[in-house]
Amino acid sequence: MAEINPVLLKELRQRFRTGKTAWLLALYLLVIGAFVLGFMYLNWWGSPGIFQPDRSRTLFIMLSVTQLVLLGFVVPGLTAGVISGERERQTLNVLLTTRLTPRQIVWSKLVSACAFVVLLVVATLPLYSIVFMYGGIAPGQVLGVFGFYLVTIFLFGCLGVACSSFFKRTGVSTVTAYGLAFALAAGTGFLAVFLYEMNRLQARGGISPETWHPAFLAWVVEFLQDINPVFVLMQILGENGIPTGVNFGLPGWAVYTLVHLAAGLLLLHWSARLLLPGGKRRRITMDV
């Protein structure tokens, strides 16, 4: 029987056996539940009949987007201090003297933090049952949304671990991780819309001479919306994105999954290299 990584075992026990975990779980469900019940009340109030399937679909979209926003706040906050926290407590060097490799340490920290976030997402399943009760949503869409959440949790977690490995202080690491997550979630979306509008203006002759080749701009816009979490979530929910006419040969969610899994693995590899001791390490620790 394979031996369980002792750091992972210790992190899981510390994270799941404290009262703080139960309070965070309750607060998370309370926020999402309040959104759902508030939406249902506002739609039922003053209208005859029962909840309509088209409104059920709107409820499903609102619930999915709300959960994505909360994940953007929770995941970087949980992972941005996993390595820098050990450094501040002066226990990182002790960890590095054990038989565990830097890669095992980084993976243990990531898995323990992401396991708690996955628990938060799974705990919201009863709220999704409200949507099923009124119809209008296919089970495949719910599975697709939860698969999308797993990829997003992995990416945001890798961003947090990489920032935590690079910066000495947890405060700086946390702010940077939130900034990168916001740039990915909002920055790529705004940039895609801006480039699309510029391409349309250029096609109508509003910009002369042409600054960018229209086909290149369309390719960039398609790539940006395929790596943007909000656009991809909307595609999974059946909504249309920006029409570019570009086809990568894969659906948007597949491009999103491949790009972000590759980016996450590279970030973890870089994080492990930052922890390498001795002459092989190439860590550029910021004294901030």
Side-chain angles (χ1 to χ4, degrees):
M1 182 177 177
E3 184 180 355
I4 300 177
N5 186 320
V7 174
L8 175 60
L9 193 59
K10 172 236 178 195
E11 291 288 331
L12 289 176
R13 284 175 176 169
Q14 282 189 339
R15 191 172 298 277
F16 286 95
R17 287 185 177 179
T18 62
K20 182 181 175 182
T21 300
W23 281 108
L24 282 175
L25 181 60
L27 180 63
Y28 188 83
L29 293 177
L30 183 65
V31 170
I32 293 188
F35 270 103
V36 172
L37 295 178
F39 178 84
M40 294 179 68
Y41 173 77
L42 292 175
N43 277 273
W44 259 324
W45 184 71
S47 61
I50 62 173
F51 206 71
Q52 300 297 320
D54 57 337
R55 294 180 179 178
S56 175
R57 176 177 174 76
T58 306
L59 173 64
F60 179 59
I61 293 175
M62 190 211 65
L63 179 59
S64 302
V65 173
T66 302
Q67 181 135 273
L68 175 62
V69 173
L70 288 178
L71 289 180
F73 280 101
V74 172
V75 181
L78 285 177
T79 55
V82 291
I83 301 296
S84 58
E86 296 283 354
R87 192 178 287 123
E88 289 174 343
R89 293 190 295 272
Q90 299 183 348
T91 53
L92 180 60
N93 289 334
V94 178
L95 270 180
L96 293 173
T97 57
T98 63
R99 298 172 64 181
L100 294 173
T101 64
R103 183 176 302 175
Q104 288 175 314
I105 295 172
V106 168
W107 270 102
S108 302
K109 296 290 186 179
L110 175 69
V111 171
S112 63
C114 289
F116 175 66
V117 182
V118 172
L119 173 65
L120 293 179
V121 174
V122 172
T124 60
L125 276 175
L127 296 175
Y128 281 91
S129 67
I130 298 176
V131 180
F132 276 118
M133 188 167 60
Y134 295 101
I137 299 298
Q141 285 181 300
V142 178
L143 293 177
V145 168
F146 274 79
F148 162 81
Y149 286 150
L150 292 179
V151 176
T152 306
I153 290 170
F154 175 74
L155 177 69
F156 285 169
C158 292
L159 281 176
V161 171
C163 291
S164 183
S165 302
F166 187 74
F167 292 103
K168 266 187 174 181
R169 298 181 182 175
T170 300
V172 179
S173 169
T174 303
V175 171
T176 307
Y178 276 125
L180 292 175
F182 180 78
L184 176 68
T188 54
F190 285 128
L191 184 59
V193 174
F194 172 75
L195 292 178
Y196 174 71
E197 293 297 331
M198 192 174 77
N199 203 14
R200 289 181 59 192
L201 185 62
Q202 188 173 258
R204 292 198 299 264
I207 300 177
S208 182
E210 287 187 351
T211 307
W212 299 93
H213 195 281
F216 175 73
L217 273 183
W219 189 93
V220 173
V221 170
E222 183 65 31
F223 180 75
L224 286 174
Q225 71 172 339
D226 281 351
I227 64 171
N228 181 271
V230 179
F231 274 107
V232 174
L233 178 59
M234 290 296 106
Q235 289 176 18
I236 294 173
L237 297 175
E239 301 294 322
N240 295 322
I242 300 175
T244 62
V246 177
N247 186 3
F248 291 136
L250 293 171
W253 61 264
V255 176
Y256 180 86
T257 302
L258 291 176
V259 170
H260 289 326
L261 286 182
L265 291 175
L266 287 175
L267 285 172
L268 289 181
H269 177 70
W270 182 58
S271 302
R273 289 186 67 82
L274 289 174
L275 299 184
L276 281 176
K280 293 183 179 179
R281 73 179 176 185
R282 300 176 181 176
R283 185 171 62 198
I284 312 174
T285 304
M286 300 290 290
D287 293 323
V288 291

